[in-house]
Amino acid sequence: MKKLAAVALLTLGALVAGCSKQESAAPAAEAPAPAAATKIVVGLDDNFPPMGFRDDKNQLVGFDIDMAREAAKRLGLEVEFKPIDWSAKEAELSGKRVDALWNGLTITEERRQNIGFTAPYMENHQIIVVPAGSAIKAKADLAGKVVGAQEGSSAVDAIKKEDEVFKSMKELKTFGDNVTALMDLSAGRLEAVVVDEVVGRYYVAKKPDQYAVLEDNFGTEEYGVGVRKDDTELLSKLDKALTEMKGDGAAAKIAEQWFGKNIIK
């Protein structure tokens, strides 16, 4: 009887084990697909006219603001504009606090290491702004001078790339934004400012008696929209929207409103 009971117990144990294995082998239910994005958060420097800045009603306006709104509308997305510390833009993007950087962002090989860029939509130069009547007429004249630029901007990179000119300067001072740098230029605390052409000419046009732009510059560059490198879906969508906007004249119309001419690449 004991032997029969033992055999019965073993048989029952085998059946239970078999059932357990079959149950564990059952395929797990598939996780639901992530919901499609309905909003894009755009990071920007809100003191970068005419690309993105606050008007006298404290509303965000600008060329890139209008471009981003038009692209988002075509993609069926809500767009939120989030002012950020521009010198920390890559950390804001990688930390997923913003989805895109769209504010006169220069495409550089160094930035390509951490940022996925759309095709260029605009060309720009790093111009040299000096006080009207200044003795500075060319880059070589910056030797021994105090020069200003925005911290974290491509202007700083462009200056440092020209090693001989950079080392000849007395000091390269960086500022949180271009507006403050130009104010210091007007106050005599700087002798020149290197700035994106779109910004520099915007201010020079407002005060032509105070500023002058040199023919010499620190090179040509291209603007693109930056996203996380692994966000290939958003990148593809933005590229498609920009291509459509260039093709049907919407981008040119926005450019003419802000610059008086079509500067779209």
Side-chain angles (χ1 to χ4, degrees):
M1 288 293 291
K2 287 183 181 178
K3 285 184 181 179
L4 286 172
V7 170
L9 285 170
L10 286 170
T11 304
L12 180 61
L15 286 169
V16 171
C19 288
S20 298
K21 285 180 182 177
Q22 287 176 358
E23 287 170 5
S24 63
E30 290 186 11
T38 58
K39 182 171 80 169
I40 177 174
V41 180
V42 173
L44 75 155
D45 168 8
D46 64 351
N47 201 6
F48 190 49
M51 310 307 278
F53 63 107
R54 295 188 181 276
D55 63 12
D56 53 8
K57 296 178 181 176
N58 205 36
Q59 299 297 309
L60 282 169
V61 296
F63 169 73
D64 274 337
I65 299 287
D66 288 349
M67 288 285 285
R69 283 196 174 119
E70 177 64 24
K73 183 175 73 175
R74 291 171 183 241
L75 296 174
L77 296 173
E78 178 191 348
V79 60
E80 176 189 338
F81 295 99
K82 183 177 180 181
I84 60 172
D85 177 353
W86 198 243
S87 64
K89 55 190 170 293
E90 291 185 21
E92 293 287 333
L93 186 63
S94 62
K96 299 189 176 182
R97 290 179 287 277
V98 299
D99 302 310
L101 300 171
W102 197 332
N103 195 211
L105 181 64
T106 302
I107 301 170
T108 67
E109 288 308 310
E110 183 180 357
R111 286 176 178 168
R112 281 188 189 277
Q113 303 303 311
N114 302 309
I115 298 174
F117 280 98
T118 62
Y121 65 91
M122 187 175 174
E123 220 171 48
N124 180 56
H125 301 87
Q126 289 297 336
I127 61 171
I128 305 165
V129 180
V130 297
S134 171
I136 299 171
K137 304 299 181 187
K139 282 187 286 189
D141 299 330
L142 296 176
K145 304 296 192 293
V146 181
V147 179
Q150 183 181 18
E151 183 182 1
S153 71
S154 55
V156 174
D157 298 334
I159 294 167
K160 290 181 176 179
K161 195 178 292 182
E162 298 197 26
D163 192 57
E164 188 176 337
V165 176
F166 173 53
K167 286 181 176 176
S168 75
M169 295 176 182
K170 179 179 180 180
E171 182 184 358
L172 174 60
K173 287 186 69 174
T174 57
F175 298 80
D177 56 72
N178 289 302
V179 177
T180 307
L182 289 165
M183 286 173 63
D184 268 30
L185 181 66
S186 296
R189 290 186 287 271
L190 297 175
E191 291 158 285
V193 169
V194 180
V195 61
D196 290 85
E197 183 171 24
V198 291
V199 179
R201 291 199 183 278
Y202 176 82
Y203 278 105
V204 170
K206 284 177 171 287
K207 300 179 178 179
D209 57 326
Q210 287 190 30
Y211 302 123
V213 178
L214 304 189
E215 286 188 22
D216 233 349
N217 62 60
F218 279 92
T220 303
E221 57 194 27
E222 295 175 325
Y223 285 163
V225 183
V227 301
R228 284 180 288 280
K229 292 199 75 170
D230 60 357
D231 201 347
T232 53
E233 183 179 355
L234 178 58
L235 182 62
S236 176
K237 287 180 177 179
L238 288 173
D239 261 327
K240 182 175 182 291
L242 285 169
T243 299
E244 288 177 355
M245 289 164 63
K246 292 175 190 178
D248 62 23
K253 185 178 178 181
I254 294 170
E256 285 162 4
Q257 288 171 349
W258 285 101
F259 301 104
K261 62 178 183 177
N262 180 16
I263 46 87
I264 297 297
K265 180 178 171 61

